[in-house]
Amino acid sequence: MAAKDTDCGLLLDMSQKTRGILSLITTFLWPPVCANCGRGICDSNHLCGGCWQEMHWVDRPFCPISGVPYPYDAGEDIVSPAVLADPPAYDKARCVALYDATARALVHKLKYYDRTDLAVSMGDWMVRAGADFLADSSVPLVVVPVPLYWRRLIGRRYNQAALLAKAIADQKELAYWPDCLVRRRATRQQVGLSDEEREVNVRGAFRLNETYRHSISGRSVVLIDDVMTTGATIEACARALRRAGAAQIFVIVFARVVESGRMPI
Ligand SMILES: [Zn+2]
């Protein structure tokens, strides 16, 4: 038994050494660079100091429901007037950053320039943003992305929200249901539409995939998207999940447009 333990210890030691050597070779061949600007940095999947500073990270104080940051500390658990006036279909939403220069550049690289590798670091930041509900082990969580219409999926070859959702599910070892929601019709690009037009554009555009009809009931869903602008798309998805019997709906988006900083997506 003692010999066996020693053998196991040696094997473990060797595999750790092998991993260390492989890591050194990888770092030598592909030195880590900033996820945004490509400048050389110490750790992979991070930002350089300049890009880090330019990112408007969202932190407390924010509305405990919508996650929209407050310009001043209104106090813990103070719900924003916007949420009180028009409560969302989701329970809680969180975002990593405001949708401006650096966050916008990262989203565009992921979405339009095949930088699918960015999903790992962006997903990592999203896990931190949603830490308060991702840490709650009392409810079985399932990670679901906002779907693309099939024609757009063929054109783009991948759904950026699904890549982020997969990265989050992998990191937290959660169930991942990429086809749980279905976009039942093509919607117009939300760019350039007013708030009302955006809401009408996506109303009734999502439904539950019937495969999940029985399994969704009583589950808590973590709904994932890259950007939230007016929240019309997230709201339409949350309503579809609520109608299907989801117990709780949490939302994590990478970046969020807030009124004063609205920029075209
Ligand atoms: Zn940089």
Side-chain angles (χ1 to χ4, degrees), residues 34 37 48 51:
C34 171
C37 70
C48 70
C51 291

Side-chain angles (χ1 to χ4, degrees), residues 4 16 32 40 55 71 83 99 122 135 148 155 158 160 163 167 170-171 173 186 193 204 213 220 229 252 254 259 263:
K4 219 176 214 178
Q16 278 170 348
M55 195 96 132
V83 166
Y99 188 68
M122 291 166 79
L148 287 181
Y158 59 89
Q160 73 284 352
L163 295 179
D170 284 351
Q171 195 187 127
E173 298 181 343
L193 300 184
R213 177 61 60 192
S220 292
T229 309
I252 313 176
F254 178 71
E259 290 300 323
M263 294 171 76

